[in-house]
């Protein structure tokens, strides 16, 4: 009997280590990191959208400020000019003479009609109206006293006045602009006032999407695109402020100004502030930005819908979760694939254990994937090679309005295909079935079960089964309906802004031409009226003098038109020899009206034997015009006797040096490096392009533009140019 061999017990199956806590911690860390990155991206997107909104508000603010300044400034010349006419002086000298008052009434009525203002009237030093453009109407100002109005008080004291309020006689609100009427000795004889309505501006605001409003120095809203905010205040008014408003009857008989129904919150690191309010019974949130208009005493507030910021954050979350979900699915697939290869290598030793572990892992992965797919905001749809729907997630069902049971097993045409785009849907389906779908995706319009249209972006990829075979198609469907609507709104907003900018440019050019021509045209009218009076009196010498002045003013008007045409045309004569004295004279001629308005004068010290400079005459005149205009604006707060612009020229080191000096406050040393920078300005409503363009023009002439402090106060700009060769 052969010896018995020892029986070797079977080798126990080797237990493969299951995923431990370290793997779970890694997954948790990855998910936390992904959520943190998505949160950061969402916050950045919201901040970026808020910045875009603030920029949009600032661009709209510039347009509205230009409109306000044009409405307030285009009639500022009228009281001053009308106060120089003999009929106005006569009625102030003989207020009891009926014939004199009648002639003054008719003159004021005609001037008001030609100027296009609402009302024009003359008052004596006691505030009693002597003549008015509405003298023949039932609400005539003649005989009414406006001694309590601030614009009359300012003009009687020798200053120009500006005041917005409700008319004491008509009850209609408007902007009142006044100027003193002076005798030859400088004494104030009376006051001329023009009333301008801002109804057209408010009517324009009624068509804007978001609120716009104007508040006065006490915070009272007097113009608004939201009617319910009129005559409400953004702060509580003191007894002194209420007494001032009631004493001057600024807003008629109103004695109470309730607070605006706003809840205001400041935004950290962002321009403006957040306003929560109700409009037409609906809660709204707006980003509001204020712009102070110190020369008018007003504050302009422009708002933008803040919900777009929230939508930007939500879109970023949606796309971030989609991307993170795709990465997690890819990582999970890679992990399962590596695990399968490892299990195949050990299949001979632990087949049963491998099957159990793999089954358990697949169950966990399937549960995890299903939970993740169900939580996605992106629709997922899988189809087999015959086009039959084999899988949809809840997001896709919500997008189409059909349940999974109603979609699974369906073949084209699918119930959510839009009937107007059936042919397009068939083309997209055939392209997909042929494997030619673009990786960048395509837009597709589907119809929800309730009938509304849903715009989607579809990304399709091959569906590969566990054996690596092509078994169908997997599509990611993203709802971009709100994004499309936002893009449409943005295009509409851009078109409206471009239209408003074109209108503002046309308005600025028309305002400039009106400002330059109004004074010579009004002088023509005055001298013609004087000539008629001298002809009736038989005073031949004064008649000839008045006619000479009339001819001079007509030539001046023609010269103004010629020069403005020279500045606005795109093509110029080109390079030529230019006399420095002629350049300065032409630039000053265009500024005569502004110099008289600002009560300033110019001192020109240019030697007659200076050589000419080589350059484009129109462009060089434009540079001098800008420098002279800036000097006049810099002396706005300077006493009248010191408002002098000094212009000098000399040849130094073989080059022409032209200096323009003012007596203003000078330029702050902290801002000196930014003076020529584009879009930098210290003027309210300015664009900050004037000096930058001037320096570009001078450098194109191989010259140099610089500035320095003036001894005794003020600023000196030096224009250095090449001299024409002999």
């Amino acid at each position: 009997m052969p010896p018995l061999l020892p029986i070797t017990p079977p080798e126990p199956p080797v237990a493969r280590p299951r995923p431990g806590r370290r793997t779970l911690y890694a997954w948790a860390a990855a998910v936390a990191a992904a959520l943190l990155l998505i949160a950061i991206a969402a916050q950045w997107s919201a901040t970026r959208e808020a910045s875009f909104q603030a920029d949009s508000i600032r661009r709209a603010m510039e347009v509205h400020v230009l409109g306000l300044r044009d409405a307030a400034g285009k009639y500022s010349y009228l009281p001053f000019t009308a106060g120089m006419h003999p009929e106005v002086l006569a009625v102030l000298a003989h207020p009891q003479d009926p014939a004199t008052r009648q002639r003054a009434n008719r003159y004021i009525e005609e001037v008001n009609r030609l100027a296009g203002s609402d009302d024009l009237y003359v008052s004596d030093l006691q505030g009693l109206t002597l003549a008015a453009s509405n003298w023949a109407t039932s609400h005539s100002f003649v005989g009414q006293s406006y001694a309590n109005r601030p614009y009359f008080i300012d003009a009687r004291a020798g200053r120009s006045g500006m005041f917005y309020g409700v008319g004491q006689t008509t009850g209609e609100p408007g902007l009142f602009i006044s100027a003193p009427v002076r005798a030859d000795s400088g004494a104030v004889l009376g006051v001329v006032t023009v009333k301008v309505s801002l109804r057209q501006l408010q009517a324009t605001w009624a068509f804007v999407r978001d609120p716009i409003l104007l508040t006065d120095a006490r915070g009272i809203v007097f113009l608004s695109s939201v009617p319910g905010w009129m005559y409400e205040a953004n702060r509580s008014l003191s007894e002194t402020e209420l007494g001032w408003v009631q004493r001057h009857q600024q807003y008629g008989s109103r004695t109470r100004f309730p607070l605006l129904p706003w809840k205001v919150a400041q935004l950290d690191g962002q321009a403006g502030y957040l306003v929560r309010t109700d409009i037409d019974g609906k809660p709204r949130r707006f980003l509001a930005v204020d712009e102070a208009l110190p020369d008018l005493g007003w504050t302009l507030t422009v708002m933008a819908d803040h919900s777009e910021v929230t939508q930007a954050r939500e879109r970023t979350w949606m796309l971030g979760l989609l991307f993170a979900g795709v990465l997690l699915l890819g990582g999970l697939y890679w992990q399962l694939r590596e695990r399968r290869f490892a299990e195949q290598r050990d299949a001979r030793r632990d087949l049963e254990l491998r099957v159990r572990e793999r089954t358990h892992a697949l169950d966990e992965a399937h549960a995890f994937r299903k939970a993740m797919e169900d939580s996605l905001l992106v629709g997922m749809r899988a189809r087999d090679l015959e086009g039959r729907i084999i899988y949809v997630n809840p997001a896709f069902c919500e997008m189409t309005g059909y349940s999974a049971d109603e979609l699974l097993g369906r073949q084209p045409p699918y119930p959510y295909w839009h009937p107007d785009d059936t042919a397009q849907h068939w083309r997209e389906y055939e392209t997909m079935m042929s494997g030619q779908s673009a990786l960048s995706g395509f837009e597709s319009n589907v119809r929800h079960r309730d009938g509304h249209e849903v715009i989607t972006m579809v990304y399709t990829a091959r569906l590969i089964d566990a054996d690596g075979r092509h078994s169908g198609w997997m599509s990611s469907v993203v709802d971009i309906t709100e994004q499309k609507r936002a893009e449409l709104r943005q295009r509409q907003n851009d078109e409206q802004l471009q239209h408003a900018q074109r209108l503002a440019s046309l308005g600025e050019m028309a305002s400039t031409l009106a400002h330059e021509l109004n004074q010579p045209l009004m002088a023509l009218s005055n001298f013609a009226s004087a000539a008629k009076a001298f002809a009736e009196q038989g005073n031949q010498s004064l008649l000839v003098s008045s006619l000479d002045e009339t001819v001079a003013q007509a030539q001046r008007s023609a010269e103004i038109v010629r020069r403005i045409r020279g500045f606005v045309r795109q093509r110029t004569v080109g390079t030529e020899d230019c006399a420095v004295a002629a350049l300065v004279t032409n630039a000053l001629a265009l500024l005569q009206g502004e110099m008289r308005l600002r009560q300033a004068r110019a001192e020109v010290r240019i030697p007659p034997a200076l050589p000419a400079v080589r350059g484009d005459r129109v462009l060089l005149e434009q540079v001098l015009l800008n420098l002279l205009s800036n000097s006049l604006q810099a002396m706005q707060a300077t006493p009248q006797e010191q408002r002098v612009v000094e212009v000098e020229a000399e040849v130094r080191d073989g080059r022409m040096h032209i200096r323009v000096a003012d007596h203003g406050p000078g330029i702050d040393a902290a801002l000196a490096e930014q003076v020529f920078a584009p879009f930098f300005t210290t003027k309210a409503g300015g664009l900050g392009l004037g000096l930058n363009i001037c320096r570009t023009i001078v450098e194109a002439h191989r010259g140099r533009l610089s500035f320095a402090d003036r001894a005794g106060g003020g600023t000196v700009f030096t224009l250095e140019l090449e001299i024409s060769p002999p």
Side-chain angles (χ1 to χ4, degrees), residues 649-726:
E650 65 175 350
V651 177
R652 181 187 297 176
D653 299 330
R655 293 173 69 87
M656 182 66 66
H657 289 254
I658 305 173
R659 289 185 290 274
V660 179
D662 61 63
H663 292 250
I667 298 176
D668 191 347
L671 305 178
E673 296 183 358
Q674 307 179 55
V675 168
F676 294 107
F679 303 108
F680 173 78
T681 179
T682 59
K683 296 183 290 187
L687 295 179
L689 294 176
L691 288 176
N692 180 264
I693 293 174
C694 287
R695 187 173 67 174
T696 302
I697 293 174
V698 173
E699 291 176 350
H701 284 74
R702 295 186 294 278
R704 182 171 176 268
L705 181 61
S706 61
F707 70 93
D709 293 336
R710 176 184 174 276
T715 306
V716 180
F717 277 86
T718 301
L719 174 61
E720 181 182 335
L721 297 171
E722 290 184 342
I723 297 176
S724 299

Side-chain angles (χ1 to χ4, degrees), residues 185-366:
S185 62
V188 177
L189 301 177
V191 175
V192 177
T193 306
V194 61
K195 180 181 179 182
V196 182
S197 174
L198 300 182
R199 289 189 299 270
Q200 185 176 3
L201 179 64
Q202 187 170 13
T204 304
W205 287 1
F207 295 98
V208 299
R209 184 186 64 174
D210 296 324
I212 303 174
L213 62 148
L214 266 177
T215 55
D216 61 15
R218 282 156 293 281
I220 300 174
V221 178
F222 62 89
L223 277 183
S224 172
S225 61
V226 180
W229 294 350
M230 289 289 289
Y231 302 117
E232 295 184 349
N234 58 16
R235 61 180 177 84
S236 298
L237 272 66
S238 65
E239 293 297 332
T240 303
E241 291 175 322
L242 287 173
W244 189 94
V245 173
Q246 295 171 15
R247 182 169 63 257
H248 296 293
Q249 299 183 20
Q250 183 174 9
Y251 299 115
S253 60
R254 290 181 176 84
T255 59
R256 293 182 64 257
F257 301 94
L259 292 176
L260 286 165
W262 293 358
K263 292 183 179 179
V264 179
Q266 298 299 325
L267 299 175
D268 295 335
Q270 299 182 22
Y273 50 92
L274 189 63
V275 174
R276 290 182 172 87
T277 185
D278 290 341
I279 297 180
D280 297 330
K282 298 180 180 179
R284 303 288 300 276
R285 291 197 307 170
F286 298 99
L287 175 63
V289 177
D290 293 339
E291 176 74 14
L293 307 175
D295 52 336
L296 300 177
W298 303 340
T299 299
L300 175 65
T301 302
V302 179
M303 298 185 180
D305 193 347
H306 196 260
S307 62
E308 296 178 2
V309 176
T310 304
Q311 293 174 2
R313 180 183 290 108
E314 292 174 352
R315 286 196 301 270
T316 304
W317 268 105
M318 180 184 67
L319 294 176
L321 289 175
L322 171 63
F323 183 70
V326 172
L327 288 180
L328 288 175
L329 285 174
L332 180 61
Y333 176 76
W334 176 84
Q335 182 183 18
L336 292 176
R337 184 170 177 270
E338 290 297 317
R339 182 176 298 172
R340 187 186 64 180
F341 289 159
E343 290 172 351
Q344 288 176 351
R345 288 193 300 266
D346 300 332
R348 295 180 180 179
R349 292 183 301 169
D350 51 357
L351 178 60
E352 293 182 358
L353 180 60
R354 184 182 63 83
V355 171
R356 288 196 302 269
E357 290 181 352
R358 183 183 180 193
T359 302
H360 180 72
L362 289 175
D363 289 342
E364 287 184 349
H366 176 73

Side-chain angles (χ1 to χ4, degrees), residues 352-564:
E352 293 182 358
L353 180 60
R354 184 182 63 83
V355 171
R356 288 196 302 269
E357 290 181 352
R358 183 183 180 193
T359 302
H360 180 72
L362 289 175
D363 289 342
E364 287 184 349
H366 176 73
F368 177 77
R369 184 182 62 186
K370 187 176 186 306
M372 185 169 57
E373 291 174 355
D374 290 348
S375 66
L376 287 177
L377 300 178
V378 177
M380 304 294 293
R381 175 192 59 196
R383 290 174 287 187
D384 61 17
L385 294 176
E386 296 179 357
R388 186 180 294 104
I389 296 177
I390 58 176
Y391 168 77
V392 289
N393 70 339
F396 186 83
C397 295
E398 183 178 355
M399 196 179 301
T400 60
Y402 294 92
S403 65
D405 293 338
E406 294 174 307
L407 294 177
L408 293 177
R410 295 291 297 267
Q411 288 184 305
Y414 303 121
Y416 50 79
W417 277 7
H418 200 291
D420 296 338
D421 298 331
T422 302
Q424 179 66 25
H425 285 303
W426 277 112
R427 286 193 296 270
E428 294 167 354
Y429 172 78
E430 292 170 357
T431 301
M432 182 271 298
M433 294 298 291
S434 64
Q436 299 177 1
S437 297
L439 296 178
S440 58
F442 59 88
E443 280 191 21
S444 178
N445 292 347
V446 301
R447 188 174 66 175
H448 193 273
R449 186 169 192 168
D450 62 10
H452 74 267
E453 183 179 288
V454 179
I455 305 175
T456 64
M457 195 70 183
V458 182
Y459 303 89
T460 301
R462 289 174 176 264
L463 186 63
I464 307 300
D465 62 13
D467 297 329
R469 292 191 301 268
H470 177 208
S471 60
W473 309 93
M474 174 63 76
S475 299
S476 300
V477 185
V478 183
D479 185 351
I480 60 172
T481 306
E482 288 301 323
Q483 176 184 344
K484 286 295 184 179
R485 292 175 181 171
E487 292 174 355
L488 176 61
R489 289 195 299 269
Q490 184 63 38
R491 288 196 298 271
Q492 292 173 346
N493 291 341
D494 291 343
E495 292 172 358
Q496 291 175 359
L497 180 58
Q498 293 172 5
H499 181 65
Q501 289 173 337
R502 290 194 294 269
L503 291 180
S505 298
L506 291 176
E508 183 177 355
M509 184 179 295
S511 176
T512 300
L513 184 58
H515 176 73
E516 292 295 335
L517 288 180
N518 265 321
Q519 290 190 2
L521 291 179
M522 189 58 64
L524 279 173
S525 176
N526 291 340
F527 285 124
S529 299
K532 180 179 179 182
F534 292 145
E536 293 174 352
Q537 297 171 5
N539 193 330
Q540 188 66 22
S541 61
L542 293 179
L543 173 61
V544 173
S545 175
S546 297
L547 292 177
D548 290 341
E549 291 292 341
T550 302
V551 172
Q553 292 299 326
Q555 293 174 348
R556 179 186 171 195
S557 301
E559 179 67 12
I560 289 172
V561 173
R562 182 187 69 79
R563 293 187 183 280
I564 291 179

Side-chain angles (χ1 to χ4, degrees), residues 55-89:
D55 290 341
S56 177
I57 290 176
R58 281 192 290 271
R59 291 193 297 270
M61 186 84 71
E62 293 176 358
V63 175
H64 293 307
V65 167
L66 286 175
L68 284 172
R69 295 192 186 280
D70 180 67
K74 66 181 178 181
Y75 292 107
S76 60
Y77 73 93
L78 191 57
F80 173 78
T81 306
M84 300 171 58
H85 196 273
E87 300 294 353
V88 175
L89 297 174

Side-chain angles (χ1 to χ4, degrees), residues 15-35:
R16 293 183 53 82
R18 300 181 64 181
R21 292 185 178 181
R22 182 176 300 178
T23 303
L24 294 178
Y25 289 158
W27 277 104
V31 172
L35 292 177

